[in-house]
């Protein structure tokens, strides 16, 4: 197996894993996702940016 084909295979695996992880995250309730986002923001000392979909205060 050549170096190029090994890289291609590994990138394919990463893409499949990311797709599965993305879809798994989308099935979680918004409240659970918000808690996880807050935890990561605190862990990495990042500001938590609210989007229009993030909470009930922004619903009309």
């Amino acid at each position: 197996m050549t170096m190029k084909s090994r890289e291609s295979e590994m990138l394919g695996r990463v893409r499949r894993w990311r797709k599965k992880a993305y879809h798994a995250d989308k099935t979680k309730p918004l409240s659970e996702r918000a808690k996880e986002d807050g935890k990561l923001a605190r862990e990495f000392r990042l500001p938590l940016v609210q989007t229009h979909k993030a909470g009930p205060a922004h619903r009309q």
Side-chain angles (χ1 to χ4, degrees):
M1 187 179 275
T2 67
M3 178 84 144
K4 200 84 154 160
S5 63
R6 289 183 84 168
E7 287 179 8
S8 257
E9 182 183 335
M10 290 188 328
L11 285 173
R13 287 181 184 175
V14 169
R15 286 186 191 108
R16 286 189 294 276
W17 176 84
R18 289 185 65 187
K19 185 177 180 180
K20 287 179 184 178
Y22 173 80
H23 288 294
D25 190 53
K26 288 295 180 183
T27 62
K28 292 180 184 175
L30 282 177
S31 60
E32 187 177 333
R33 289 176 20 207
K35 285 179 189 175
E36 291 175 358
D37 289 348
K39 181 180 174 185
L40 287 172
R42 286 187 302 276
E43 182 180 336
F44 293 105
R45 297 180 183 160
L46 299 170
L48 185 60
V49 179
Q50 297 289 327
T51 65
H52 67 283
K53 295 181 182 180
H58 297 286
R59 292 184 190 153
Q60 294 180 2

